[in-house]
Amino acid sequence: MGYFLYPLGAMLLWAGNVIVSKLSATTIAPSAITFYRLVLALAVMTPFVIRPLARNWGHIRPQLAKLGFLGFLSMSFYQSLSYLAAHSTTATNMAIVTALAPLLTLLWSVVLLREPPTLGMLVGGLLSLAGLVYLIGQGHPSQLLDGGVHLGDVLMLIASASYGLYSVLLRRWHVAVPPAQSTYVQAWAALVTMIPMLVLVPAGQAQLNAATVPLVLYAGLGASILLPILWIQGIRHLGPNRCSMFINVLPVMTAAIAVVLLGERLHTFHLIGGGVALVGVFIAQRWQRPLPGFGTAPDALETPAPSDESDEVPA
């Protein structure tokens, strides 16, 4: 029973990271906090990872391009969009849209892994889409035709889609590198891609001060190091499928913290729209019967399943 504390702790840290994203919106540029959190995470990881990585360099070197792109997707692109989205949407909305990542991962797997689409994907996808439209429309979906959508919600949807792509590419490429070394190389790649973005940030929006340092510390230590450790331990003891179910509690935790720390208000459209969207994700994950006319794709059977040592961790 105690093993469930690992994914629960990871989700709590992830919820805290959403709050940090919202707090950072008024204090530091998205590119700056992404850059600083990577510098901090790498500084902490280097003493523990550099020697094993050096011994394993002959095996890692051929995988650098793949690891570099994975790092860009999960640690640079995803994180930057998340911080940018916080400027124009609520923390609760961010968490609900983020929780759609497992569904988007399933959709990417159909395209890239040629896995057969399932009834769960169809029904769950339609439910999640309906819930998302209701949520973004604040209980009045027809308003989307008149006033459009919040940019922040769109950015979070793109960010979640990019993380879904990251998850599927991990499976497709099956980069057989130890998780700590893989994460370390990905972090370096992400850091390199963030340097040009940081140069473009006005000096006043990249300062480290009393308001921004705690945010960077949480993002660099709590979200970038402790969270993956808890998540990998959860996968090791519970398996990836059972752990993935815990992402459904992310919006609940985030909303609770946002109400207390940010003064956000929960509305009926959050409960209805978010609830329907999460039910859709659950159905998509659990109802695995193929759609009529689609069999089991041979390539899907040949794709290596994620191992207990998978480096696919919450961003």
Side-chain angles (χ1 to χ4, degrees):
M1 181 65 182
Y3 294 140
F4 287 100
L5 293 177
Y6 288 125
L8 277 177
M11 289 302 102
L12 182 60
L13 287 169
W14 198 348
N17 195 47
V18 176
I19 302 301
V20 165
S21 299
K22 190 64 182 172
L23 291 171
S24 70
T26 57
T27 57
I28 188 171
S31 299
I33 188 172
T34 303
F35 179 85
Y36 292 142
R37 73 177 281 177
L38 287 168
V39 170
L40 178 58
L42 285 168
V44 173
M45 292 178 67
T46 295
F48 304 98
V49 178
I50 193 65
R51 287 185 179 178
L53 184 142
R55 290 194 296 267
N56 198 33
W57 183 249
H59 183 70
I60 293 174
R61 186 172 180 177
Q63 311 289 342
L64 283 178
K66 293 178 180 179
L67 289 171
F69 186 67
L70 290 171
F72 165 75
L73 277 179
S74 65
M75 300 182 187
S76 177
F77 188 71
Y78 172 87
Q79 290 296 344
S80 295
L81 284 184
S82 298
Y83 291 128
L84 190 58
H87 288 259
S88 53
T89 191
T90 65
T92 302
N93 277 30
M94 291 175 66
I96 292 173
V97 177
T98 298
L100 296 178
L103 172 62
L104 297 172
T105 300
L106 292 175
L107 297 178
W108 277 116
S109 70
V110 172
V111 176
L112 296 179
L113 303 181
R114 287 187 284 178
E115 292 183 353
T118 65
L119 288 171
M121 288 184 194
L122 177 62
V123 176
L126 291 175
L127 273 177
S128 291
L129 178 61
L132 188 61
V133 168
Y134 191 86
L135 171 71
I136 295 176
Q138 298 184 350
H140 303 282
S142 60
Q143 289 185 357
L144 296 180
L145 299 176
D146 301 325
V149 300
H150 290 128
L151 177 61
D153 294 326
V154 175
L155 292 175
M156 276 311 305
L157 189 58
I158 296 173
S160 295
S162 73
Y163 194 75
L165 175 60
Y166 164 80
S167 301
V168 170
L169 288 178
L170 271 177
R171 292 180 57 196
R172 178 170 179 168
W173 289 340
H174 192 55
V175 181
V177 175
Q181 297 175 32
S182 173
T183 301
Y184 186 76
V185 174
Q186 289 181 50
W188 269 111
L191 183 66
V192 170
T193 64
M194 290 308 304
I195 292 175
M197 302 302 296
L198 183 68
V199 172
L200 298 176
V201 175
Q205 297 179 26
Q207 292 181 348
L208 290 173
N209 51 43
T212 59
V213 167
L215 303 179
V216 173
L217 288 174
Y218 185 95
L221 300 178
S224 298
I225 296 179
L226 183 56
L227 189 159
I229 290 174
L230 292 177
W231 188 253
I232 289 173
Q233 286 298 318
I235 289 176
R236 191 172 288 166
H237 294 290
L238 302 174
N241 291 332
R242 294 173 75 184
C243 277
S244 68
M245 294 293 120
F246 283 86
I247 198 171
N248 293 320
V249 306
L250 175 63
V252 178
M253 290 181 170
T254 305
I257 299 173
V259 168
V260 176
L261 296 184
L262 303 180
E264 290 188 3
R265 295 181 60 187
L266 280 180
H267 299 278
T268 304
F269 63 80
H270 285 126
L271 301 177
I272 296 177
V276 171
L278 294 179
V279 168
V281 172
F282 180 80
I283 291 175
Q285 289 179 301
R286 304 305 294 177
W287 195 4
Q288 298 297 315
R289 181 181 299 175
L291 281 171
F294 294 89
T296 301
D299 287 0
L301 293 176
E302 296 171 4
T303 302
S307 70
D308 288 347
E309 296 290 334
S310 172
D311 50 1
E312 179 183 339
V313 296

